[in-house]
Amino acid sequence: MSRYLKENYQALEEYTPGEQPKDTEYIKLNTNESPFPPANEVLNVLKRQDIENLRLYSDPTMSVLKAKLANLYGVKSENIYLSNGSDDILNFAFMAYGHKGAVFPEITYGFYSVFAELHQIEYEAIPLQDDFTVNYKDYLSKNKLIVIANPNAPTGNARPLREIEEIIKSNPDSVVLIDEAYVDFGGESAYPLCEKYDNLLVVRTFSKSRCMAGARLGYAIASKGIISDLEKIKYSTNPYNINRLTATLGEATVDAEDYYKEKCQEIIKVREYTKEKLESLGFEVLPSKANFLFARHKSYDGEKLYLELKARHILVRHFSTDKIKDFNRITIGTKEQMDKMLLALCEILKGENQ
Ligand SMILES: *Cc1c(COP(=O)(O)O)cnc(C)c1O
């Protein structure tokens, strides 16, 4: 850190992304990426790209991609905002709507507290219930920016739409942000409520269910007013926040919806298979509607398990936060990858009994 850094940034504890190691080939089950490549149509579009056009700026209105997404969800283009990954939208939302304070679960996506601190927002982190679920009643009538990941991370638990609607309804004077990074793996989306509630901001990403974490593309669905707020901030920071290549890939991705639906179904199937196998190995596995499982073993230490798997070239995510330090978050890969992981777990657990 240099002595030139503004004081309130000096104490900032930045977000720690999951490891992306380059030293060995790992079975990577630690950052909730898709094990599947983008659809063939997307790969073909990339091959046909006229690289010469990269000398030109991208379209700051993103009108083509917006229209495609609007059509897919049956909303208007004015209800869609696009950004360089959904983290960007979360950042903007804290910046724009956090001035009365923010409320989110204590165990959730680690970036929320980072954004709150970045923008010097006072926040309340509400503990989960004993079964690691969000109690929606804790979020009623707060009159502050409410941020809920649904399904939640790293637990995988999803709340029904009627509970989400109660939260939105009871906070009419503040924005309720529902982060739906994992909704395509079995959750219930809140976006149809955008028509009814102008304080609802639904945030989505192409990173997980659209197999494109490396392209950086996120979007929001909300009332026209909220979308124009986000656009205002975008035009005050970086109007070209989505590059030409990513925009084109995004368009082809929306066109290939069927492929991604099928891949999501496959992930769900492998998730349930893996859950059952883990349980038979003595793990407690939280019910998940996401592309990962959150599991702890009845007798084996969580961090030790993470390290033993890593030694066998399998990466999962361990958080040292006290309340969840017994758990590991395991991204759902292909069935073959999960079988290798399960085999490794068998070995590790057997070694312990000797
Ligand atoms: C992965 C994730 C994001 C970030 O997605 P990007 O679009 O890749 O920035 C946002 N929210 C949650 C809960 C996530 O798990």
Side-chain angles (χ1 to χ4, degrees):
M1 194 161 22
S2 84
R3 64 194 164 93
Y4 307 108
L5 185 64
K6 190 173 169 182
E7 199 172 335
N8 62 287
Y9 293 151
Q10 290 186 14
L12 188 65
E13 207 178 306
E14 62 268 41
Y15 176 72
T16 317
E19 304 163 85
Q20 303 282 358
K22 301 281 178 292
D23 55 341
T24 348
E25 277 290 305
Y26 286 92
I27 295 181
K28 232 182 135 289
L29 309 173
N30 68 329
T31 48
N32 299 342
E33 290 141 330
S34 174
F36 303 114
N40 267 330
E41 293 90 318
V42 177
L43 301 174
N44 290 336
V45 159
L46 182 61
K47 283 183 205 144
R48 287 200 305 271
Q49 269 291 301
D50 191 352
I51 297 299
E52 200 265 342
N53 280 339
L54 281 182
R55 68 191 175 78
L56 303 170
Y57 282 111
S58 53
D59 168 20
T61 69
M62 285 288 129
S63 58
V64 178
L65 184 49
K66 273 191 183 180
K68 281 186 187 288
L69 281 169
N71 181 49
L72 180 64
Y73 294 114
V75 298
K76 294 187 183 146
S77 286
E78 66 190 28
N79 302 117
I80 306 275
Y81 174 76
L82 284 150
S83 78
N84 188 336
S86 61
D87 287 337
D88 237 21
I89 307 177
L90 300 174
N91 181 29
F92 283 9
F94 275 89
M95 196 192 283
Y97 304 118
H99 46 285
K100 288 186 286 188
V103 185
F104 43 82
E106 180 187 25
I107 303 296
T108 190
Y109 187 38
F111 232 138
Y112 302 155
S113 58
V114 176
F115 287 134
E117 278 166 33
L118 177 68
H119 300 297
Q120 298 182 283
I121 291 164
E122 272 187 41
Y123 66 91
E124 186 184 351
I126 300 183
L128 297 179
Q129 304 184 96
D130 290 344
D131 62 352
F132 296 93
T133 62
V134 165
N135 182 354
Y136 76 97
K137 290 182 183 151
D138 292 339
Y139 300 84
L140 301 179
S141 308
K142 286 287 184 183
N143 195 30
K144 290 175 182 176
L145 170 65
I146 312 271
V147 182
I148 298 204
N150 193 37
N152 195 14
T155 61
N157 180 255
R159 304 316 308 163
L161 200 52
R162 63 186 144 72
E163 293 183 6
I164 300 295
E165 183 164 8
E166 288 304 317
I167 298 174
I168 301 164
K169 213 173 7 181
S170 75
N171 289 284
D173 297 323
S174 60
V175 165
V176 176
L177 188 163
I178 306 297
D179 182 345
E180 296 190 347
Y182 300 106
V183 75
D184 294 319
F185 302 103
E188 235 182 316
S189 179
Y191 85 80
L193 296 176
C194 288
E195 231 179 330
K196 208 161 145 195
Y197 301 100
D198 67 357
N199 61 327
L200 168 62
L201 170 55
V202 175
V203 177
R204 300 262 195 113
T205 177
F206 281 61
S207 294
K208 318 279 165 55
S209 63
R210 295 302 178 269
C211 315
M212 220 157 63
R216 312 305 303 130
L217 188 59
Y219 60 106
I221 308 177
S223 62
K224 186 181 171 188
I226 286 188
I227 298 300
S228 55
D229 298 343
L230 296 172
E231 294 285 356
K232 190 184 179 89
I233 296 186
K234 175 181 107 161
Y235 280 94
S236 310
T237 48
N238 178 10
Y240 310 107
N241 63 345
I242 297 169
N243 69 69
R244 293 183 82 93
L245 289 175
T246 293
T248 311
L249 299 181
E251 291 160 20
T253 300
V254 179
D255 289 343
E257 177 71 4
D258 289 349
Y259 168 85
Y260 295 100
K261 273 200 179 130
E262 190 192 305
K263 292 303 172 200
C264 288
Q265 284 311 311
E266 209 164 318
I267 297 275
I268 291 169
K269 218 168 75 190
V270 176
R271 178 185 72 207
E272 296 312 309
Y273 163 81
T274 309
K275 181 171 190 281
E276 213 171 282
K277 294 279 177 191
L278 285 170
E279 283 166 349
S280 70
L281 289 174
F283 283 89
E284 176 196 356
V285 188
L286 302 189
S288 169
K289 296 274 187 197
N291 66 339
F292 56 81
L293 291 168
F294 205 45
R296 65 177 160 194
H297 195 263
K298 58 181 190 306
S299 56
Y300 205 97
D301 180 73
E303 186 175 16
K304 196 165 163 217
L305 194 68
Y306 154 78
L307 290 170
E308 287 290 337
L309 281 170
K310 189 172 178 183
R312 289 166 173 78
H313 299 172
I314 299 169
L315 270 189
V316 297
R317 187 90 195 254
H318 179 260
F319 300 89
S320 42
T321 316
D322 205 39
K323 287 187 181 172
I324 52 171
K325 66 177 176 12
D326 299 335
F327 285 85
N328 278 289
R329 193 194 66 192
I330 306 165
T331 302
I332 302 302
T334 60
K335 169 122 186 323
E336 293 69 33
Q337 289 178 321
M338 302 325 277
D339 280 335
K340 283 185 187 158
M341 189 230 16
L342 290 162
L343 196 64
L345 285 176
C346 278
E347 271 178 37
I348 295 165
L349 295 169
K350 227 186 273 157
E352 186 70 353
N353 292 337
Q354 278 164 4

